Amino acid sequence: MNEEHRKNLMQNVKKLASEAQEDGDPTAWFEKLYLDANGDISKIPWAKMTPHPALEDWLIQTNFTYKNALVIGCGLGDDAEKLASIGASVTAFDISPRAISWCNTRFSHSSVNYVVADLLTLESRWKQSFDFVFESRTIQALPIDIRNKVINAVANLVSPGGTLLIVTRLRDTEDIPEGPPWAVSELELSQFHQLGFQEVSRTPYIDANQPTIKQASIEYQSVVL
Ligand SMILES: C[S@@+](CC[C@H](N)C(=O)[O-])C[C@H]1O[C@@H](n2cnc3c(N)ncnc32)[C@H](O)[C@@H]1O
C-alpha cells in the first residue's frame, strides 16, 4: 500500500469514526467501512490478508497447547484461521456482520466459529471461558473514554490461568492522542494487573511501512487466586 493511499484511507477512517462518535455510537463506523468496501480489500486499512506477524512471531516462541481460543474483533479472519491451523478450537467474533460474512466466504470450509458480537455487550456464557484470547488492534480502535470498559470486557473472557495476547500501539504519555487509532498507555495497561493479570512478556513490533510507530505484542497470564 503506497503512502498516498494509506493517507486517504486513514482520513476516511477518522471521518467515519468522528461522525459515529458525534452520533453517540462509537462502534457504528466499522460496519459502514466494511460495507462501503464492498469486497475490495484495498479499502480496509488494517487488512493484511495474512496472520498478524506479531502473532506468528509469538507462536514460534511458544509451545501452543491451548484448546479453546477466542479472537476478538477478528476482522477478515486470518488470525483465527492461523490458530485453527495449529489445532485450537477457535471462536472469532466481530461487531460487523459484513466482516463476519466476508470471513465465512473467504474460509468457507473453516473450523472456526465466526460470530457477530459486540465486545461491550457479550453473552455471560463466554465469561472466563477461553484459555487463549487474542486481540489485535481492537482496543486501540475504540475511543479512550470507553477504554476502561473495553479492557474489562477483554479481561473477562480469559479463563483462570489462561493467556491473553494483545497487539497494540503504545503511547508514552497520558495525553489523549488524535485517533483512531488511540494508542494505549501504561496507565491503561495497568488495569490488566488490577484485574488479576500478570505480564509475561512484551515484544516490540516494528511495521516496516510505519517504523516510527511504537507497537508491541504483550502476553498476560490470568492469575489463579
Ligand atoms: C482495527 S480493526 C483490526 C482487525 C483485526 N483484529 C486485525 O488486526 O486485522 C478492529 C476490528 O475490531 C472490530 N470491532 C470494533 N469494535 C468492536 C466491538 N465492540 N466488538 C467486536 N468487534 C469490534 C472492527 O469491526 C474491526 O474488524
Side-chain angles (χ1 to χ4, degrees), residues 116-204:
V116 178
D118 179 354
L119 174 65
L120 301 173
T121 57
L122 286 179
E123 296 176 38
S124 58
R125 72 184 168 94
W126 280 8
K127 189 174 174 185
Q128 298 189 335
S129 292
F130 299 91
D131 61 355
F132 181 72
V133 173
F134 180 64
E135 100 67 26
S136 151
R137 304 183 286 175
T138 299
I139 298 176
Q140 70 180 35
L142 296 168
I144 290 178
D145 60 357
I146 57 168
R147 184 133 301 165
N148 197 277
K149 206 173 161 195
V150 169
I151 289 180
N152 247 308
V154 169
N156 213 10
L157 293 162
V158 186
S159 63
T163 291
L164 166 67
L165 183 69
I166 71 172
V167 177
T168 185
R169 292 188 184 201
L170 297 170
R171 70 184 203 276
D172 291 325
T173 73
E174 292 308 317
D175 297 344
I176 309 284
E178 195 202 326
W182 295 274
V184 176
S185 75
E186 290 304 323
L187 185 65
E188 290 157 13
L189 288 174
S190 70
Q191 197 184 331
F192 283 115
H193 298 265
Q194 288 152 20
L195 292 167
F197 286 79
Q198 216 167 47
E199 185 172 322
V200 175
S201 66
R202 186 181 293 212
T203 309

